[in-house]
Amino acid sequence: MDMETAKLILHGQEHEFPVTVGTEGEEGIDIRKLRATTGAVTLDPGFGNTGSCESGITFINGEEGILRYRGYSIEELTEKSSFLEVAHLLIQGELPTREQLDHFRHRLTYHSLLHEDMKKFFEGFPPSAHPMSVLSTIVASLSAYYPENDDPTDIDLNIVRLLAKIKTIAAFAYKKSIGQPYVYPRNNLTYTGDFLHMMFAVPSEDYEIDPLVEETLDKLLILHADHEQNCSTSTVRMVGSSGASLFAAISAGVSALSGPLHGGANQAVINMLERIRADGGNYRKYLNMAKDRSSGFRLMGFGHRVYKNFDPRARVIKASADQVLARLGVDDPLLDIAKELERAALEDEYFVSRKLYPNVDFYSGILYRAMGIPTNMFTVMFAMGRLPGWIAQWKEMHNDPNTRIYRPRQIYVGARARPYVPIDQRS
Ligand code: SDX
């Protein structure tokens, strides 16, 4: 079949570029020879129309609200799989056999300790340090203890170390912030159970893991595990494309995720709902503020660059919120405010015309709160979930012989050439 092409006419000259078609029929105009043949570059602030790579990891259809990891729907994986199984699927490309999953789980269990000397890094932070800053710092420092090279066996071991240690780093950051002693990993607990134990156990009493909390957290981690070329994943790929180490690339991804327009939104949603509650629950006031650009206020947890119908993850989280809160015996007024806000926004022309719907961050904070996770740890939970996706995307980039260092071009709009002016002649 003849390859489809796209024609561009510039200065009266016609140029033709191949069109590549993805598994699900997505079309991409391949412009890698554009500048060489036309002298021009494209301009696409925020890269909303630009594909940075070809990837076989995650498929999203924003119009139909479809999200699949390696072909499996997020709905099925959340219902039938586990976070460790999904992590294996994303990183290795296939669902593990029982033996592979047991081996994977064993490796993650026995690499969950941090080197004792690393505790000194935590001591350097004030209690007020945001856990995302701590997480980014400690992840970057792993390369000081676990040297990195291009040997596939060493890369594989460092991937295991990252997945195993991120929950220990997260829990230690939390314990440091509240002045409690660190709780060490337990080899007899599940991945999520061990995290909850490290977060909430205290030396003076036994901590009993609530199976519902453990199960709910596992599902939330699955829902956050990957999301194709989002801001933080693109950061991981960009940093990795220079040949920087896996730990350096993931640390950069943690930093990118911390922004309130990205992973930091789940914390911002709760802060917004608390503000509405403190203001007498007057959600319409805030809805109107969000419609007024000059207010600088945005409805956090609403809108998405890709989903223009609904975020399937938000649907799954919202559907489970009522049941989980009821079973935990939690009556959170913020959930009622969130539902009122969503209903009002979805009836409002401003939001409907801009296709602004709740995204993954709108309801996730309600569940984290109900499970007793403090607000400033919400984005750390997002990072824990997203880590397998970042790793899978880094590995795909790292192993692709066609990978080139990320180096976008620009359109220069600054001053023309001009001579230096001595300081006493400047006005
Ligand atoms: C995540 O990319 C990913 O996949 C990310 C993520 C992942 O899994 O990795 O899904 C996770 O980051 C989810 C998004 C979390 N962020 C928020 O909830 C913050 C609030 N949302 C927005 O800031 C915004 O919707 C973004 C950042 C999510 C998307 O930004 P875009 O695509 O650049 O959209 P835009 O800013 O160009 O907005 C288009 C219009 C504008 O109005 P007009 O200029 O046309 O008049 O919609 C308006 C915006 O003002 N708008 C909003 C709004 N989001 C967009 N108005 C009010 N409240 C909002 N939340």
Side-chain angles (χ1 to χ4, degrees):
M1 185 172 73
D2 292 343
M3 171 174 273
E4 188 74 25
T5 62
K7 289 184 179 147
L8 170 74
I9 297 173
L10 185 60
H11 306 309
Q13 195 173 352
E14 185 174 289
H15 304 273
E16 205 164 0
F17 298 95
V19 173
T20 184
V21 183
T23 312
E24 299 290 342
E26 289 175 298
E27 292 184 322
I29 302 170
D30 186 331
I31 57 165
R32 69 189 84 188
K33 292 192 169 44
L34 175 74
R35 193 167 185 279
T37 53
T38 71
V41 298
T42 58
L43 184 60
D44 185 20
F47 306 127
N49 302 283
T50 297
S52 62
C53 62
E54 291 177 307
S55 176
I57 299 170
T58 291
F59 172 70
I60 298 175
N61 179 315
E63 285 67 35
E64 295 176 29
I66 294 172
L67 170 57
R68 299 190 196 119
Y69 298 156
R70 301 282 188 183
Y72 298 95
S73 79
I74 193 68
E75 292 82 1
E76 269 213 289
L77 291 172
T78 310
E79 185 191 336
K80 301 174 182 172
S81 187
S82 68
F83 177 60
L84 257 48
E85 188 172 83
V86 166
H88 184 284
L89 170 66
L90 287 167
I91 295 168
Q92 305 301 341
E94 295 297 338
L95 287 169
T97 61
R98 188 175 300 283
E99 185 188 5
Q100 288 169 332
L101 183 59
D102 290 346
H103 178 59
F104 186 52
R105 180 183 296 111
H106 181 272
R107 294 183 79 196
L108 294 194
T109 300
Y110 285 86
H111 283 279
S112 54
L113 268 177
L114 295 181
H115 191 294
E116 274 296 290
D117 290 352
M118 292 190 80
K119 291 197 314 190
K120 295 188 184 74
F121 297 149
F122 290 87
E123 299 319 310
F125 285 99
S128 57
H130 196 287
M132 282 295 277
S133 310
V134 178
L135 180 62
S136 177
T137 305
I138 305 295
V139 166
S141 71
L142 288 171
S143 53
Y145 286 83
Y146 308 107
E148 300 182 271
N149 56 50
D150 251 4
D151 179 317
T153 307
D154 291 340
I155 288 176
D156 174 63
L157 179 52
N158 281 332
I159 285 172
V160 165
R161 283 175 172 139
L162 253 180
L163 288 164
K165 297 179 194 306
I166 190 170
K167 58 182 170 66
T168 312
I169 297 168
F172 276 28
Y174 172 59
K175 286 298 195 188
K176 170 70 172 79
S177 73
I178 58 173
Q180 283 188 3
Y182 302 127
V183 174
Y184 282 66
R186 288 271 181 88
N187 294 346
N188 63 326
L189 299 176
T190 65
Y191 189 89
T192 38
D194 189 30
F195 170 72
L196 292 167
H197 185 262
M198 289 191 282
M199 279 282 288
F200 300 120
V202 289
S204 48
E205 59 188 36
D206 291 337
Y207 171 75
E208 196 174 324
I209 298 165
D210 181 329
L212 176 61
V213 173
E214 190 175 13
E215 177 196 346
T216 303
L217 180 54
D218 203 75
K219 292 184 183 308
L220 281 168
L221 294 177
I222 291 174
L223 286 165
H224 287 81
D226 194 51
H227 215 240
E228 56 135 280
Q229 305 313 314
N230 58 83
C231 177
S232 54
T233 298
S234 297
T235 301
V236 169
R237 279 180 172 260
M238 176 168 272
V239 170
S241 74
S242 76
S245 75
L246 171 67
F247 295 142
I250 299 298
S251 171
V254 172
S255 296
L257 186 72
S258 68
L261 295 187
H262 192 13
N266 55 19
Q267 176 174 344
V269 167
I270 294 299
N271 296 339
M272 173 184 74
L273 294 173
E274 289 278 26
R275 185 177 164 193
I276 294 170
R277 179 171 67 162
D279 198 353
N282 183 0
Y283 60 86
R284 288 202 175 280
K285 169 182 167 188
Y286 291 85
L287 206 66
N288 292 329
M289 277 166 59
K291 292 157 61 175
D292 170 12
R293 265 211 160 195
S294 63
S295 75
F297 177 81
R298 283 203 155 186
L299 211 49
M300 300 314 278
F302 255 74
H304 199 277
R305 176 63 60 78
V306 176
Y307 290 122
K308 298 306 175 190
N309 192 327
F310 62 90
D311 182 335
R313 303 166 298 178
R315 272 198 174 175
V316 172
I317 293 172
K318 181 184 177 185
S320 63
D322 284 320
Q323 183 216 14
V324 169
L325 266 66
R327 285 176 59 188
L328 290 175
V330 171
D331 178 18
D332 188 347
L334 299 190
L335 178 58
D336 299 331
I337 295 174
K339 286 180 177 177
E340 282 300 310
L341 200 53
E342 177 187 6
R343 188 191 47 71
L346 299 189
E347 292 169 356
D348 187 298
E349 189 277 336
Y350 173 92
F351 293 91
V352 173
S353 64
R354 290 168 177 79
K355 300 182 185 298
L356 302 177
Y357 298 88
N359 58 49
V360 66
D361 294 307
F362 191 63
Y363 285 105
S364 55
I366 301 281
L367 281 183
Y368 291 137
R369 261 163 71 93
M371 298 191 291
I373 293 171
T375 305
N376 71 349
M377 285 289 289
F378 287 2
T379 310
V380 172
M381 307 314 299
F382 194 142
M384 277 175 56
R386 185 52 52 87
L387 180 59
W390 284 334
I391 290 170
Q393 299 275 352
W394 177 89
K395 199 176 164 187
E396 186 177 68
M397 177 277 305
H398 183 79
N399 294 342
D400 180 352
N402 299 316
T403 293
R404 301 177 69 207
I405 188 169
Y406 277 34
R407 205 287 185 203
R409 307 304 294 260
Q410 64 166 21
I411 297 296
Y412 176 69
V413 293
R416 290 186 180 283
R418 51 184 172 165
Y420 181 80
V421 179
I423 192 163
D424 54 15
Q425 294 174 26
R426 296 170 205 159
S427 54

